[in-house]
Amino acid sequence: GSEQEKKPAATVEVEGIPFPREIAGAKTLSLVGHGVTDIEIHFLQIKFNAVGVYLDVDGAMEHLQGWKGKSQLMEDEAFFDALVSAPVEKVLRVVVIKEIKGSQYGVQLESSVRDRLVAADKYDDDEEEALEKVSDFFQSKYFRPGSIVTFHFPATAAAAPEISFVTEGKEEAKVAVENAAVAEMIQRWYLGGEAAVSQTTVRSIADGFAAMLSSA
């Protein structure tokens, strides 16, 4: 009947890759932003990955009440800081568009996270070791199109964040991120406002939360 037609589709397409609007975590996590990571080479746009950001919206909204009614969140660094530090469950789902070696992705992640740690004066032996473990995890992987990297950040520090990798024909592989500062900077790599790796994703998050915060 007509009720059925009004429901939004259960998935959102990003470059032809379907992202479910909701996934199951400890609570139901909603897709709050999506986009791509890409670079321009000689005026050609090369897209590497599609990105979907999921989180516990109710929990996040409680934490973001200070931004009620503000419409310009994209340039608001404090908003993204609050989003990263919000004690709610978050999942980053990264789906491969362009085939690359996992080691290339690992090196990118490692250098971006290391730069952020150094800038925040948080890069010590513990961080170096935890980051190396994450980078090593990607060394042996091969990013075929459609492979999925999932970053899972639990709501509390009681459980370690986890990264998983799934590709066709192989068992799911996982690694824990056993350092809070490293986990925070991985979040910032994807959720860090204007310094984030995917500008389309953070803009989508900013627009989505501006709409939710204006109607809340």
Side-chain angles (χ1 to χ4, degrees):
S2 61
E3 277 308 295
Q4 207 48 42
E5 285 151 31
K6 284 182 198 153
K7 279 186 77 168
T11 58
V12 175
E13 296 243 328
V14 183
E15 297 297 319
I17 296 164
F19 281 77
R21 279 186 191 274
E22 290 183 342
I23 58 173
K27 295 181 174 166
T28 298
L29 306 181
S30 306
L31 182 66
V32 294
H34 52 80
V36 295
T37 56
D38 58 1
I39 55 169
E40 248 186 48
I41 298 177
H42 304 307
F43 306 109
L44 276 181
Q45 187 196 27
I46 297 173
K47 293 170 184 163
F48 286 101
N49 301 313
V51 180
V53 177
Y54 293 86
L55 49 76
D56 163 15
V57 169
D58 292 346
M61 289 291 277
E62 258 172 61
H63 200 71
L64 298 168
Q65 283 307 301
W67 283 269
K68 240 187 153 137
K70 290 188 182 170
S71 56
Q72 294 300 317
L73 297 181
M74 184 63 194
E75 289 77 31
D76 192 334
E77 225 169 283
F79 165 76
F80 289 103
D81 286 346
L83 188 64
V84 168
S85 62
V88 298
E89 189 177 7
K90 303 179 190 100
V91 168
L92 307 176
R93 183 187 179 99
V94 179
V95 185
V96 178
I97 296 173
K98 182 174 170 48
E99 195 161 321
I100 62 165
K101 290 179 178 155
S103 55
Q104 289 172 275
Y105 180 82
V107 164
Q108 245 186 337
L109 181 150
E110 188 177 16
S111 64
S112 300
V113 169
R114 189 195 299 119
D115 289 350
R116 284 173 167 78
L117 288 164
V118 169
D121 207 13
K122 288 182 177 172
Y123 189 62
D124 231 320
D125 292 351
D126 285 358
E127 284 74 25
E128 185 175 4
E129 201 177 310
L131 187 52
E132 209 164 278
K133 190 176 159 189
V134 170
S135 178
D136 286 350
F137 172 74
F138 288 110
Q139 282 300 318
S140 58
K141 309 291 180 277
Y142 195 73
F143 281 31
R144 287 188 187 83
S147 307
I148 302 173
V149 182
T150 306
F151 297 88
H152 178 244
F153 302 95
T156 65
E162 194 173 59
I163 302 171
S164 77
F165 177 74
V166 179
T167 190
E168 208 178 321
K170 298 226 169 157
E171 291 278 304
E172 179 180 19
K174 292 183 174 187
V175 65
V177 183
E178 287 155 357
N179 180 286
V182 169
E184 178 198 333
M185 296 310 173
I186 292 174
Q187 277 198 55
R188 286 184 184 280
W189 191 36
Y190 279 104
L191 307 177
E194 292 189 309
V197 66
S198 167
Q199 287 302 294
T200 43
T201 302
V202 282
R203 182 163 292 287
S204 159
I205 292 171
D207 292 349
F209 270 103
M212 286 191 283
L213 284 157
S214 67
S215 62

